[in-house]
Amino acid sequence: MSSDSPVSPGTSPSVSRRATTLASVPSQQRINTFLRDSVYARRQHVPGICDLALGNPHQMPQAAYVEALADALTPRNERWFAYKTNEPEAQAAAAASLQRLLGMPFEPADIHLTTGGFTALPLALKAVADPGDEVIFTLPPWFFYEPLVLEAGLVPVKIRCEPETFDVDLAALGAAITPRTRVVIVNTPNNPTGRIYPPSLLKDLAAMLEGASRSNGRRVYLLSDEPYNRIVYDGARFHSPAEYYPYTLLAYSYGKTHLAPGQRIGYLALPPTMPDRGPLREAISALQMAMGWIYPNALLQYALPRLEQFSIDVGQLQRKRDLMVEALAGMGYQVTRPEGAFYLFVRTPADDDEQFTSALADQDVFVLPGTLFETPGYFRISLTASEDMIQRALPVFAAAIQRSGGALPQG
């Protein structure tokens, strides 16, 4: 049959190798199954369940958030809803916010607004890496890193974190760097562990990447995924890798800061310390168009200056963190107190984390198994659950560890 022969009726449509590869990525298959075919997928909207699975809101949004969007909805001129790229007022507000947070003089032109932090990540990868280049990231990861790396035509390289601290294992990272390494992804505060990487680690990481860049004769970039950099506990001062390594691309999302992940706005920022970044600015702008006009909608860009003035109640999140850490530890669970973000990453008392979390789901308590994060033997709890959900879930956690043979403290 020649290549020009017509396709017979009923023949299955051809799927590209790239799409087939992406669909077959185990990490993506697992999260798709959880979101579409699991007990959670069937029961997530049932009243009375305890939804500690995803970082979704479970209380009404802040009045200030609603008012900011409502005000931005009122048109001031006939071009209010025309095509938008990077609105200067939004860029300026984001740059000023980063200046306050990190003590660095970010420039508005270095803020590239995106449809959430999600698209800022592939934007960064495609701006600095060529097909076949390697991208290193740490396990447990955010479960979409691997699909995003593969979709960009790049090669994912995974290393394990330090098991005791959840820090980046610099020895493992050094062993994983090759002449093909182009990007290292770090996520701080970390999802799912809640770890904030300390300045000493970030300085050592910067020195390692500088040395690797010299050895390779080609710059190794750092992609710092920071959607939780305003959600830190106990009065901690957050430090970004951008403070220590000039060749850092910083990805941020307002969906976490305001717990409104359905309203997609974020950005990719270049630090003021990055030399000769003019060509990179131009490349990023071209990619924003070529990747499907990945600028935020006009409404969200108009609202952004006001959105920069407040965040969700971090104190409330901290109180829920303390309640859950103390309660779970008292039951016998191994849990590390997170320093930021809004998750707990807890050891399962049973060997099979999927079986353990399925048993919780049978009692309408929903969490994510560590297998989704390529780290079996753990489960993740989202602190965005309501306080009522948390209180109702605690007896279920207690019964689960008892069934698994975990020893509860006496007295």
Side-chain angles (χ1 to χ4, degrees), residues 159-174:
I159 60 172
R160 285 281 168 193
C161 70
E162 289 278 4
E164 298 300 321
T165 62
F166 293 134
D167 280 339
V168 177
D169 186 333
L170 292 180
L173 175 60

Side-chain angles (χ1 to χ4, degrees), residues 3-84:
S3 59
D4 296 326
S5 299
V7 176
S8 302
T11 300
S12 297
S14 297
V15 178
S16 71
R17 285 190 295 273
R18 180 159 95 171
T20 301
T21 298
L22 289 172
S24 66
V25 174
S27 57
Q28 179 148 315
Q29 287 183 330
R30 286 190 290 264
I31 190 62
N32 280 343
T33 297
F34 183 84
L35 294 175
R36 298 188 305 191
D37 301 321
S38 65
V39 177
Y40 176 77
R42 296 191 296 273
R43 295 189 57 78
Q44 62 180 309
H45 299 299
V46 175
I49 70 166
C50 299
D51 187 352
L52 290 74
L54 303 176
N56 274 324
H58 292 287
Q59 59 191 43
M60 293 301 288
Q62 291 177 293
Y65 188 84
V66 177
E67 290 165 5
L69 267 60
D71 179 66
L73 183 61
T74 304
R76 273 58 158 182
N77 55 61
E78 71 279 6
R79 295 183 57 79
W80 196 249
F81 300 120
Y83 282 111
K84 302 299 174 187

Side-chain angles (χ1 to χ4, degrees), residues 367-387:
V367 298
L368 294 187
T371 302
L372 289 180
F373 302 91
E374 302 183 57
T375 308
Y378 286 83
F379 64 96
R380 193 194 76 174
I381 291 172
S382 175
L383 296 171
T384 62
S386 69
E387 294 178 3

Side-chain angles (χ1 to χ4, degrees), residues 184-218:
V184 174
I185 301 176
V186 295
N187 173 212
T188 179
N190 185 264
N191 172 15
T193 69
R195 176 64 166 163
I196 296 176
Y197 299 145
S200 58
L201 172 69
L202 298 178
K203 291 174 184 176
D204 290 343
L205 174 61
M208 175 177 286
L209 297 185
E210 186 61 43
S213 298
R214 288 196 301 269
S215 297
N216 289 350
R218 186 173 184 235

Side-chain angles (χ1 to χ4, degrees), residues 101-104 202 237-246 248 271 273:
L101 181 70
L102 303 181
M104 301 175 69
L202 298 178
R237 157 90 157 83
F238 170 76
H239 290 276
S240 170
E243 298 174 52
Y244 307 101
Y245 190 61
T248 297
T273 51

